[in-house]
Amino acid sequence: MSIRRLPEDVINRIAAGEVVERPASALKELVENAIDAQSTRILIRLLKGGLDGIEVIDNGIGIPADEMRLALERHATSKLPDNDAIEAVTTLGFRGEALPSIASVARLTLESRTADSDSGWKIIVDNGHSEKEGIAPLPKGTRIKVDSLFARIPARRKFMRSAKSEYMACHDIVRRLAMTRPDIAFSLEHDGRRIFSLNGGESRQRRVAALIDRTLKDNSVAVEYQRDQMQLEGVASLPTFHRGLADHQYLFVNGRPVKDRLLIGSVRAAYHDLLAKDRHPVLALFLTLPNSDVDINVHPAKGEVRFRDSQAVRSLIVGALRESLDLSGFRSAQPADVQAMGKWQKSSELAAPSKAVPSHESRQSLSDSGLLFKSRTIEAPKATSIPTPQGTASDLWSAATKSPLPPMGRNSATDSSEQSDFPLGLARGQIAATYIIAESKDGLVIVDQHAAHERLVMERMRRALQNGQVTSQRLLMPDVVEMDEVSCDLFEQRQDEFAAMGLETERFGHEAILVRATPAMLGNCEVKAMIKDLAAEIAAYDQSLLLKEKFDHIVATMACHGSVRAGRLLSIAEMNALLREMEITPHSGQCNHGRPTWVKLGHKDIEKLFGRS
């Protein structure tokens, strides 16, 4: 076959395949043009997820009537500087492909009016063929309608997803672009229904929270960091405020929404020891750097970028997020889970009045409920029988007050006014020997003692390792841990690293490891379980994680085995010591797996439980 020139309409359709993949990509180009036109208000209307219609109306500078036809030609743009330096581009669009690409695969109506024009001008193009043009009555700005996208290209149309899926993609595009410009008012409508309406002039944090999750504002940290000519700002969720999918991570470079592997990997590295592997943070990060340090001309859709110094960018993002999260201290996502809170309400069975005398089982359960609150300040007496109540509620209460069980009220050594000095309050007792109950100035704090102490031990070990102050505790009798030969081989290869952490081991035959010393700060830990868990961590992550990530996994495993276990009774002094250390330790609001270590019930929440509000 001989070489020939392709017809202009075929060229346009080929180009459109790169720029206009689906309704969302067409919408992205139109909204970016509206932003570049210096608009302060942008209205978007969609029909059937954009499949049947897309309309974008702005109040920008408009297009002069004599340039509108040129705007529909390929590679015609007003956004490149006179020297055609792409690296100097500051606008979102610059390639001059959007309008002609859309017009070649849909029916496009372009209406625009400039401030110094008496009336607007309209041009209609149907799948690449000019159909009509003339005067159009409209205020200053531009209105673009796209109808019947891919209607004449059945091969493309059949690959479109459902109207709901296409709408979700369009919604995500508008949400990302609205985040970049909190100074612009955005409004989105779908099939005649208002989805959201955002006022211009908002703060970035408020705009991000309004578009992602309104509770994010109270469960996030502000990110503001600068290094040389690079600057990073935005909003990042606390580790305890997370999702099962990474669909709420929004990344922007010089005001341009991008999906870049380097940036996503940097976020993962910053949160890797704060979240479980299957959980993801919620955030919106805005990176600003000189145009000469980033290449935006990588793909026609402009969704990818390339950095001149990618390692510096990664270091900036990881450092900024870690520093911001460190400053969050003991904060944890609040309030408690709504479904869990609902279980505090009385069941209908308990709420219903009963004339029957309480049975032996109900009396026993009432008396046993006192066992949930225990303290080691007074040694609990051995089990004794409680006088059996006879008949009435007043007798029942009287019997409970005469119980020989020790009271668990306020600590007599502390005044109630002292609780205002501590964010996590003062300890009042334990529930099920697992959860610490503390009273603060503004509510009730419940702490998971094992999860909290696990994080504290991990942070202590990390600081000690960084300062070279890890000490070992020699075992009176060395412990022999039996494992399969492969696990022993992997463990033996890391013996020097473990020794630096205070864990002294050596090979003992083909299928055993001899443990001579453990980190002193772990106390009497479960040596055999810890060694086996460390071997499993090495086998699972040795090849896939960076050195620092491997180190943190090992420290986290050690900390888990050296922390206070659930079921251990603590004295009031021990509980308060744990609370005070949490208040001064970074990341103590979540355990090593990303779960919250404490929750708070405010006074209003408690009042609601009793129907007092």
Side-chain angles (χ1 to χ4, degrees), residues 193-438:
R193 182 171 64 93
R194 178 68 59 85
I195 304 303
F196 61 71
S197 182
L198 305 171
N199 297 322
E202 295 179 320
S203 66
R204 177 160 284 168
Q205 186 175 11
R206 183 172 181 177
R207 172 64 63 89
V208 168
L211 288 168
I212 300 179
D213 189 330
R214 294 191 181 278
T215 60
L216 177 63
K217 185 178 179 181
D218 298 325
N219 296 295
S220 62
V221 295
V223 180
E224 293 184 9
Y225 199 82
Q226 184 163 358
R227 182 183 297 170
D228 298 329
Q229 292 182 291
M230 294 188 297
Q231 181 179 1
L232 184 72
E233 56 182 344
V235 178
S237 69
L238 296 172
T240 46
F241 191 89
H242 47 65
R243 289 175 59 84
L245 298 175
D247 57 343
H248 279 19
Q249 295 181 6
Y250 300 91
L251 307 171
F252 307 86
V253 176
N254 289 351
R256 187 186 306 278
V258 298
K259 294 182 179 180
D260 186 85
R261 290 183 180 179
L262 171 68
L263 302 181
I264 294 173
S266 301
V267 171
R268 174 180 173 271
Y271 278 88
H272 76 90
D273 63 327
L274 304 174
L275 282 175
K277 293 185 285 294
D278 59 343
R279 309 303 295 177
H280 305 274
V282 178
L283 50 79
L285 299 178
F286 302 82
L287 175 64
T288 305
L289 69 169
N291 290 331
S292 57
D293 291 345
V294 58
D295 183 6
I296 59 176
N297 190 30
V298 176
H299 190 274
K302 305 182 292 294
E304 301 176 19
V305 294
R306 293 292 181 272
F307 298 102
R308 175 174 293 181
D309 189 349
S310 58
Q311 197 58 40
V313 172
R314 176 185 171 90
S315 175
L316 172 76
I317 295 174
V318 174
L321 285 175
R322 293 298 299 196
E323 181 174 303
S324 300
L325 293 172
D326 286 348
L327 294 175
S328 68
F330 63 91
R331 286 180 62 196
S332 178
Q334 300 293 334
D337 182 79
V338 176
Q339 293 182 351
M341 284 294 298
K343 295 180 181 179
W344 283 66
Q345 302 290 345
K346 291 183 179 180
S347 67
S348 57
E349 180 181 349
L350 291 176
S354 175
K355 297 181 181 179
V357 177
S359 65
H360 173 74
E361 288 78 5
S362 64
R363 293 195 300 266
Q364 186 64 34
S365 64
L366 177 64
S367 61
D368 286 348
S369 65
L371 295 172
L372 293 176
F373 291 83
K374 295 183 179 181
S375 170
R376 292 177 62 186
T377 54
I378 302 177
E379 185 177 354
K382 295 182 180 180
T384 57
S385 60
I386 297 176
T388 303
Q390 301 294 327
T392 66
S394 59
D395 292 334
L396 205 62
W397 175 260
S398 176
T401 58
K402 296 176 182 178
S403 168
L405 295 175
M408 282 301 302
R410 301 180 184 276
N411 185 0
S412 59
T414 60
D415 187 78
S416 62
S417 62
E418 293 180 12
Q419 64 196 17
S420 61
D421 298 332
F422 304 115
L424 293 180
L426 293 174
R428 300 306 184 199
Q430 275 179 291
I431 290 181
T434 301
Y435 302 99
I436 297 172
I437 302 300

Side-chain angles (χ1 to χ4, degrees), residues 49-236:
L51 292 169
D52 289 354
I54 300 173
E55 184 176 12
V56 177
I57 304 172
D58 67 64
N59 66 341
I61 58 176
I63 305 172
D66 57 349
E67 295 183 7
M68 287 181 63
R69 184 169 290 279
L70 181 61
L72 294 171
E73 294 184 10
R74 292 182 64 232
H75 305 307
T77 182
S78 62
K79 300 174 184 179
L80 276 177
D82 293 337
N83 60 356
D84 296 335
I86 294 178
E87 64 274 6
V89 170
T90 58
T91 55
L92 296 176
F94 61 91
R95 300 172 67 101
E97 293 182 321
L99 290 179
S101 296
I102 296 171
S104 66
V105 293
R107 178 184 173 86
L108 183 141
T109 302
L110 173 61
E111 300 173 283
S112 190
R113 177 185 173 185
T114 58
D116 56 358
S117 177
D118 294 334
S119 63
W121 194 257
K122 175 170 66 175
I123 294 180
I124 301 177
V125 179
D126 190 1
N127 286 270
H129 301 287
S130 180
E131 187 176 279
K132 180 182 178 182
E133 63 179 288
I135 295 175
L138 75 158
K140 181 179 79 76
T142 302
R143 178 167 60 200
I144 300 179
K145 290 184 66 178
V146 178
D147 299 310
S148 305
L149 186 65
F150 300 126
R152 297 190 185 179
I153 311 176
R156 292 292 301 276
R157 181 80 176 191
K158 72 178 182 180
F159 283 104
M160 295 296 102
R161 297 183 181 178
S162 66
K164 183 176 181 180
S165 297
E166 297 299 342
Y167 159 69
M168 294 303 297
C170 290
H171 184 273
D172 184 64
I173 288 294
V174 177
R175 184 161 50 182
R176 291 177 186 272
L177 291 171
M179 285 183 203
T180 66
R181 297 296 299 270
D183 57 314
I184 299 177
F186 280 84
S187 181
L188 174 63
E189 297 178 5
H190 182 234
D191 290 340
R193 182 171 64 93
R194 178 68 59 85
I195 304 303
F196 61 71
S197 182
L198 305 171
N199 297 322
E202 295 179 320
S203 66
R204 177 160 284 168
Q205 186 175 11
R206 183 172 181 177
R207 172 64 63 89
V208 168
L211 288 168
I212 300 179
D213 189 330
R214 294 191 181 278
T215 60
L216 177 63
K217 185 178 179 181
D218 298 325
N219 296 295
S220 62
V221 295
V223 180
E224 293 184 9
Y225 199 82
Q226 184 163 358
R227 182 183 297 170
D228 298 329
Q229 292 182 291
M230 294 188 297
Q231 181 179 1
L232 184 72
E233 56 182 344
V235 178

Side-chain angles (χ1 to χ4, degrees), residues 54 86 126 128 163 175 193 195 226 277 285 348 353-354 446 455 463 477 487 491 555 568 574 597 603-604 613:
I54 300 173
I86 294 178
D126 190 1
R175 184 161 50 182
R193 182 171 64 93
I195 304 303
Q226 184 163 358
K277 293 185 285 294
L285 299 178
S348 57
S354 175
I446 306 175
R455 168 58 67 175
R463 289 194 300 268
M477 293 290 293
S487 297
F491 197 94
V555 172
R568 174 179 166 186
E574 289 173 324
T597 58
H603 288 155
K604 291 185 178 179
S613 59

